[in-house]
Amino acid sequence: MMMAMSPPASLENGLESFLAEAIRLGRDTMRAGEGGPFGALIVRKGEVLARGWNQVTSRNDPTAHAEMVAIREACRRVGDFRLAGCTLYVSCEPCPMCLAACYWAGIERIVYAADRQDAARIGFADAVIYEEVRLPPPARKIVMEQAGREAALAVFTEWEGMAEKVLY
């Protein structure tokens, strides 16, 4: 785990220091060759539950974005898939995958530095994903086919009738 350094003068202490740490984490791990220039912290009640940094290229894992790494670690640490009461501090606006994961985890607040246009200017173009999600499945660039619906619905019916299920 990386040690925190003092925040730059442009960011005040307090909540912004978490954002400064996320930015530093992205920079330091980028310089170390671990991935892109992205860092993230998940904080609850002033306590850092997890830190994450982009590890896409070092792990050969397209889902190893800073936010995803931090969410996985925070969930492990608290022993729950819900991160209620948490804030995500991240060096850049989350991509669609990471944003969806934040919703699934129940993260209540996201504080980000750079935005998606800033990321696009350096080659991280998420706009195509935002556009694709709005399209009906047959119109997307990735071929999508539906099959086996009845078999899947039978499992859904079983789930629906389970008394001891955990909703999420």
Side-chain angles (χ1 to χ4, degrees):
M1 193 177 330
M2 305 206 53
M3 298 297 296
M5 301 182 310
S6 59
S10 62
L11 295 175
E12 297 178 17
N13 287 327
L15 296 179
E16 285 77 19
S17 68
F18 293 130
L19 185 57
E21 185 175 347
I23 294 167
R24 273 193 313 278
L25 187 58
R27 180 197 63 220
D28 293 349
T29 56
M30 171 197 70
R31 288 177 178 171
E34 294 189 35
F38 306 105
L41 274 71
I42 295 180
V43 177
R44 181 164 40 196
K45 296 180 182 176
E47 177 189 4
V48 176
L49 297 179
R51 290 170 176 80
W53 54 92
N54 184 281
Q55 298 171 44
V56 170
T57 57
S58 59
R59 287 190 180 182
N60 292 318
D61 178 354
T63 70
H65 290 199
E67 300 93 330
M68 300 295 283
V69 171
I71 288 169
R72 290 172 184 142
E73 178 58 30
C75 289
R76 273 191 294 273
R77 182 163 180 210
V78 301
D80 197 343
F81 61 86
R82 294 168 287 225
L83 295 173
C86 289
T87 298
L88 170 70
Y89 293 89
V90 64
S91 60
C92 187
E93 178 182 1
C95 75
M97 174 184 68
C98 295
L99 182 59
C102 289
Y103 277 100
W104 282 114
I107 289 174
E108 296 178 9
R109 181 176 175 219
I110 299 171
V111 179
Y112 62 92
D115 63 26
R116 68 178 91 165
Q117 290 80 21
D118 298 321
R121 279 191 286 280
I122 62 167
F124 294 93
D126 299 332
V128 68
I129 300 169
Y130 283 104
E131 292 166 11
E132 287 283 304
V133 168
R134 285 188 274 237
L135 296 173
R140 295 180 183 154
K141 291 179 183 175
I142 293 177
V143 175
M144 295 186 70
E145 301 172 15
Q146 186 175 18
R149 183 169 182 255
E150 291 304 317
L153 290 178
V155 177
F156 281 16
T157 300
E158 185 177 339
W159 166 263
E160 195 173 34
M162 288 178 64
E164 304 261 339
K165 62 183 170 239
V166 176
L167 295 176
Y168 56 94

